Amino acid sequence: MSLSIDVPLKSRNSFSVNAITPALYSADSIDALIEIAHKLEQPFYILGEGSNTLFVEGAAPVIIQAAFKGVEIIKTQDHYQLKVAAAESWHDLVCRCVEQGIAGLENLALIPGSVGAAPVQNIGAYGVEFSDICQSVSWFCFETKKLKKIKKLECGFEYRNSIFKAELKGKGIITSVTLILPKISKPKLQYAGLDILSSNATPKEIMAKVIEIRRSKLPDPKFLPNAGSFFKNPVVSLDLYHELLAVYPKMPSYPQGKNKVKLAAGWLIEQAGLKGFRLGCVGVHEMQALVIVNYGSEKGEDIRNLALHVQKVVFHKFSIKLEPEVRMIGKSGEVSL
Ligand code: NAP
């Protein structure tokens, strides 16, 4: 277990805002987690690579990081089973699988963040979600000081949500995930951009296309700090959908079961006239309205204020309250927008 005191977090969050944690614990073994659990006081926050976190105050709570590393691949007759430790990089894992001819992760290329963060928000892109390939998640409980294997069906996976953001929030830490990937899998090519590929495109070709599309639309946080999509795509009732469609016949929409429709948050923000909008040193990205970028502010509060403005303007125009995908963290823990 390592413990560092008064640690600046600017280089540990992809918005690159200033915040200081009084204590940063890092654990790469269960023994280390047990030691931390004995000392731990609320509030604390589990931080991965900081690519979905906005520190909204100058002070942050105590931070815990899982430093577990390693990838184990087991071949069964029909599947590959991968046990991957929490501190591995998600994108490196995708590349490794594609290089080894293991299909199933290629649509999820270039998603920033660690493997341990993937189940928390059930990461997803281009028609594939983490829950599609998850078998189980290993989670250390700070109260019982024991490691628990949580099976996929117990993870409460939903669109950008899971039990780790709900009932288990603040109660433990993910140490590894187990993925199950069929040896024979059908490429998922229904999203625009991938639909131009041939129906038997290889995982390598799909990954290359996903990377090309993402690079053309999404700013690289190394050069323009951001946390990817700031808001979730709203899922609305059929009634509201039809009301809006009458006014905006070109509005993109995706049915969710029989009674709900998913709308594109980026489209709503753009229609509200906010694509490229700036507020001081922060702004809505010029190419992708779903992304908020930091042009040079030191303060997470500035980003939060812009997000509040976006939420207000979109609500005024469409009667839809956008909910953030990014997690907002103040001195006393997670806060809402
Ligand atoms: P887009 O093509 O501009 O489409 C806007 C939204 O419509 C997407 O977010 C997607 O929802 C939905 N959509 C598009 N085609 C769809 C289809 N065939 N079936 C169902 N829903 C569809 O999207 P984009 O912003 O460039 O993003 C492309 C993909 O990368 C999306 O899956 C997006 O979630 C993912 N992405 C995620 C992040 C992040 O930070 N989490 C950042 C960038 C992109 P879904 O989001 O539900 O897929």
Side-chain angles (χ1 to χ4, degrees), residues 7 33 52 58 60 71 82 131 136 144 152 168 206 247 262 266 283 293-294 298 313 334:
V7 182
L33 284 176
N52 198 42
V71 180
L82 280 64
S131 54
S136 65
T144 60
K152 170 187 168 157
L168 298 186
I206 298 170
V247 187
K262 180 174 75 181
V293 289
N294 183 4
E298 302 281 303
V313 173
E334 190 154 359

Side-chain angles (χ1 to χ4, degrees), residues 121 124-127 159-160 190-192 213-214 217-218 227-229 233 254 256 262 264 288 290 325:
Q121 65 149 341
Y126 302 99
Y159 172 62
R160 303 291 185 268
Q190 73 271 29
Y191 270 54
I213 304 171
R214 288 188 73 112
K217 285 197 192 178
L218 293 168
S229 306
N233 289 319
Y254 307 93
Q256 304 285 291
K262 180 174 75 181
Q288 167 54 286
L290 198 46
E325 183 175 308

Side-chain angles (χ1 to χ4, degrees), residues 45-61:
Y45 180 65
I46 315 273
L47 186 67
E49 291 177 11
S51 57
N52 198 42
T53 296
L54 174 62
F55 293 109
V56 293
E57 293 175 39

